[in-house]
Amino acid sequence: MEKTIEETKQGESLILEAKSTNTKKLYIESYGCSMNFSDSEIVASILSENGFNTTQILEEADLVLVNTCSIRDKAEQTVRKRLEKYNAVKKRVNPKMKVGVLGCMAERLKEQFLEQEKIVDLVVGPDAYKDLPNLLAEVDEGRDAINVILSKEETYGDIAPVRLMSNGVTALVSITRGCDNMCTFCVVPFTRGRERSREPQSIMNEIKELWDSGYKEITLLGQNVDSYLWYGGGLKKDFVKASDMQKATAVDFDQLLDMVATAFPKMRIRFSTSNPQDMHESVLHVIAKHPNICSHIHLPVQSGSDRILKEMNRLHTREEYMRLIDNIRRILPDCEITQDMIAGFPTETEQDHQDTLSLMEYVKYNFGYMYAYSERPGTLAGRKMEDDVPEETKLRRLQEIVDLQRKHSGERTKTYVGKTVEVLVEKTSKKSENDWAGRNQQSLMVVFPKEHYKVGDFVNVKITECTSGTLIGKAVGYSEMN
């Protein structure tokens, strides 16, 4: 997956409701994209059936797991610092503590962690979480344990995730795993494997359980949700070999989205992440058809230069991307669009950079995730391309991208002043105990006085002022979604 709007720069420890029969304690942190946080919920569910309750106190943990991200070098360095802290606590406080690495970084650096640096006891890749009980048994016997085998079938569709650090209102629902898009800068296809989709009824069952438990919003999640395709199991690339019956009854993303929105008309629906080459107009019409599907699309582009897009193996051109933007604006005039952008990709010239800035001017994104290129070992760019853009040039171009995005964010946010928006109350505002905070349909954070409203309410809020990233207003009543 490229990046999702919920991506975090810091880890988050996750708490599992205690089972009285469990005697061991698990401390788990997650870094990176929303898929990692969703996977941590799966891991907690598996381990809760094997004697573990979670804890927020590192020092008392029997098992410490960090769910890792390899998409950029900075993310890996953050995880390494956390591993240093875990091992310091292990040495000083709890020698019996076991330390493990999960996720994308685990797959990429398995031998280094276990054999060379000896800083972990087990390494578990994204498709091997069901093997955790066996791996822990190996560790208990005094052996290092590793399983990073990538699966062609595993979707964890048969596991009910434990909702960790949940507000009881919003939840992630995974619909695909892996990625078939071999972008030259990205490690995901190598760390998460080929793309496969989850059975639709399994997805519907999970959403119903969430609805019955009082949840009001879900995010359909995948590395590339728009290429979701269920035809009875197997990899997407093998669909050409499917039977006529399988092809006739196959479910793609716009059909799945329509199914979910129709079955749960009072459940707000988001999705992430999209790839421009796979987002078809039919999806836009489904969004327009259902008022409970949010008007926000995270649409990573990475560069505005056709030449750099080709070097990145992005299977869309600048013109095709702009045509998709035009269709979104035409079919979904209230939709907000967000981006991912990389500055300083190998061979990027000043003209390529100016092409990126001009694309941003054309789209005027509401928000973005912007980074200087960092070489990822194992990727095609890492193997075949010289990282030839000077660091100071990368950082200068990145700053220009950030400055332009900040300008556009402010402009787009100001357009909401005087309007009334629907907000799902998610939490108390960080700045005031007297205010609620929640997102509107366009994924903008809205803050307003609490009054008699509560978490989980859909509230109409009239916007009176704003910052570059937050809308501020006053409630004018409940929305029709209640």
Side-chain angles (χ1 to χ4, degrees), residues 29 58 64 66 82-90 99:
E29 287 186 345
L58 175 61
V64 177
V66 57
R82 296 304 293 164
L83 287 172
E84 289 175 6
K85 178 173 181 178
Y86 302 155
N87 279 281
V89 170
K90 178 178 180 178
V99 177

Side-chain angles (χ1 to χ4, degrees), residues 135-154:
L135 296 173
L136 289 171
E138 289 285 309
V139 172
D140 287 341
E141 292 294 324
R143 296 185 290 270
D144 292 335
I146 181 171
N147 187 339
V148 294
I149 297 172
L150 294 176
S151 171
K152 295 182 178 180
E153 292 85 25
E154 184 60 76

Side-chain angles (χ1 to χ4, degrees), residues 249-294:
T249 58
V251 177
D252 60 15
F253 182 60
D254 62 277
Q255 291 171 308
L256 177 69
L257 193 59
D258 187 63
M259 287 167 54
V260 174
T262 300
F264 303 96
K266 295 293 185 178
M267 175 82 84
R268 188 190 265 185
I269 301 161
R270 302 184 187 276
F271 58 87
S272 188
T273 296
S274 294
N275 189 302
Q277 73 194 49
D278 296 306
M279 173 165 268
H280 303 298
E281 189 173 314
S282 56
V283 172
L284 306 180
H285 288 294
V286 172
I287 299 171
K289 172 183 172 183
H290 295 282
N292 57 327
I293 302 178
C294 290

